[in-house]
Amino acid sequence: MADEIRTLIADLYDDPENFLKTPHQWFGGRSPNELMATEAGQFVLLKFLRGEDHIPPIEIDRGFKSYTAANTDHLVDQAIARLEGQIEQLKFLKGSGPEIATVIGRAQEVFGERGLSWLVRPNQVLQATPLDLMSQGKTDRVLRLLVQIEHGIYP
């Protein structure tokens, strides 16, 4: 059974050894290697790999990586930099004119307390952040999208 499990893992994951070593939510935080130690664990793992009691791995799972404090520091730094940039963008809104105040108010009406954070997130429809468009004087595009979202006519 162990050979079949290893073959399935090699077929499903780009880094089979990493998959075997890394704790996984489907196994209650245990690693597949831990499950390989017992026959009952091997049955659980085999069932998982065959997709019998869960959704089988999707493409994003194939490159399964183990994240540790050491290799997540860079990700945390990136998130902080992005948030600092968003804070600077939001500072732009202080003391803004009536057009921008109208957009802020509509965003709050449509999204509630998340309205301001919506303004600084990239938007596929607008192909920019709403705040970027507002700073370029294109508040009408942002307002139009807010009205569409509010009325369920999201493009």
Side-chain angles (χ1 to χ4, degrees), residues 50-119:
R50 289 180 177 165
E52 294 174 8
D53 65 351
H54 74 286
I55 300 169
I58 58 174
E59 192 60 37
I60 199 164
D61 290 333
R62 295 184 192 281
F64 183 75
K65 291 181 185 176
S66 171
Y67 290 101
T68 64
N71 64 9
T72 58
D73 285 348
H74 177 69
L75 297 173
V76 171
D77 289 340
Q78 285 179 325
I80 290 169
R82 189 183 81 245
L83 291 171
E84 286 172 344
Q86 290 176 338
I87 289 168
E88 287 304 311
Q89 287 180 313
L90 287 170
K91 285 180 182 177
F92 161 78
L93 300 176
K94 286 182 109 176
S96 57
E99 286 183 342
I100 291 178
T102 300
V103 175
I104 295 169
R106 288 299 280 157
Q108 292 290 112
E109 288 173 12
V110 173
F111 293 108
E113 64 184 42
R114 292 187 232 163
L116 285 175
S117 62
W118 180 83
L119 293 173

Side-chain angles (χ1 to χ4, degrees), residues 128-139:
T129 68
L131 188 55
D132 288 340
L133 293 177
M134 292 164 57
S135 66
Q136 297 168 19
K138 299 177 182 175
T139 55

